Amino acid sequence: MLNRRHLRIKVMQTLYAYLQSEGSDYKKQEKGLLSSIDKVYEMYVSLLALINDVVQYADIDAEERANKHLPSTEDLNPNLKILDNLFIKLLLENEEYVQAVKKYKISWDFDPELARSLFVTLRNSQEYKDYLALEEHDLHSDKDIIKFIFKKVILKSELAQNALEEKHINWQVDQDVLQAMVAKTLKNFDSLGGDNKLAQISSNWIEDKEFVVDLFHKTLANDSVYQEMIAGKTKNWEADRIAMMDILIMKMALAELIYFSSIPVKVTINEYLEIAKEFSTPKSNVFINGILDKILNELKAENKIRKYGRGLV
């Protein structure tokens, strides 16, 4: 699931794109912000579909081997246990999944070589051979082989990485979230007759949606004010030496410090310093911390930082 840091990053990416494109419609950018979050869920469903494609390729592989010029006994009598995988059966029967595939028009047909390549890697692995050798299989063992397909076959494949980046522009940024969502799905699917739920993009989307939209608006609406605050504390710095991303991160932090009364000051500062480490220059977090600390002291003195609740100041 997307946590607040991931949501802040989505807002930051949208603001960066907005500020880079002069004359852009902020309403259109807001729509793009929400769309970028929905794209994470779409990519999650795509990953589940890719896992299924790898499993289903066992049938195609068996047909190809049987049609060889000189098929072996093994070619003519393939072990197709994987096609009866209980997790895959539950997934394909899951209404949430079925509807999501239809909604997003999920398909990996644009890269027909991908499923074949991944299945060949799977077929040649010891883990797959051990799975086929099991006298009996249950939901637990079936989920284990699916975990292996996802973590050790798909995520380790250079071909798959290229395809994932082609399909989802933010794959590298969102990869950890998507892995967690697939893992959550495997955990959720624990009953052959129960209501097995897909992972959700957010534990409370109503609140999270309000958070991202408000953060986007508050940062934009007060852009010139925050620019002046930052400029006052960076007089000894040449403007072109301050990374645009650093400025944007500080503006977002100021918006959150001033307008989001339920978020502790320390949480805000720490979150944006971590984002700076990942998305800006190596020394940015030290620079940003120093500037925000000076501005924060002034805002507190002017009683402009108002936090409500125990431990929020």
Side-chain angles (χ1 to χ4, degrees), residues 200-249:
Q200 300 302 307
I201 197 68
S202 164
S203 58
N204 190 334
W205 177 234
I206 294 176
E207 286 187 7
D208 285 342
K209 180 180 179 181
E210 182 180 2
F211 171 75
V212 295
V213 171
D214 281 354
L215 182 57
F216 177 75
H217 284 182
K218 290 293 192 296
T219 304
L220 272 185
N222 298 282
D223 182 73
S224 58
V225 175
Y226 300 151
Q227 183 66 43
E228 188 175 340
M229 287 182 181
I230 295 166
K233 298 294 180 264
T234 56
K235 291 179 180 178
N236 296 328
W237 291 75
E238 296 177 16
D240 59 358
R241 289 183 59 200
I242 304 175
M244 180 181 174
M245 186 61 76
D246 290 358
I247 299 293
L248 178 54
I249 288 171

Side-chain angles (χ1 to χ4, degrees), residues 78-91:
N79 187 332
L80 297 177
K81 179 186 290 187
I82 191 75
L83 294 178
D84 292 322
N85 186 279
L86 295 173
F87 172 82
I88 293 298
K89 285 189 172 183
L90 290 173
L91 180 67

Side-chain angles (χ1 to χ4, degrees), residues 57-69:
Y57 199 88
D59 195 30
I60 300 172
D61 179 71
E63 184 177 350
E64 290 176 346
R65 291 169 68 185
N67 290 327
K68 287 164 58 175
H69 178 58

Side-chain angles (χ1 to χ4, degrees), residues 109-126:
D109 291 346
F110 74 95
D111 194 345
E113 172 64 14
L114 182 59
R116 189 201 71 79
S117 173
L118 294 173
F119 180 77
V120 169
T121 300
L122 172 66
R123 189 185 67 197
N124 293 333
S125 69
Q126 186 60 48

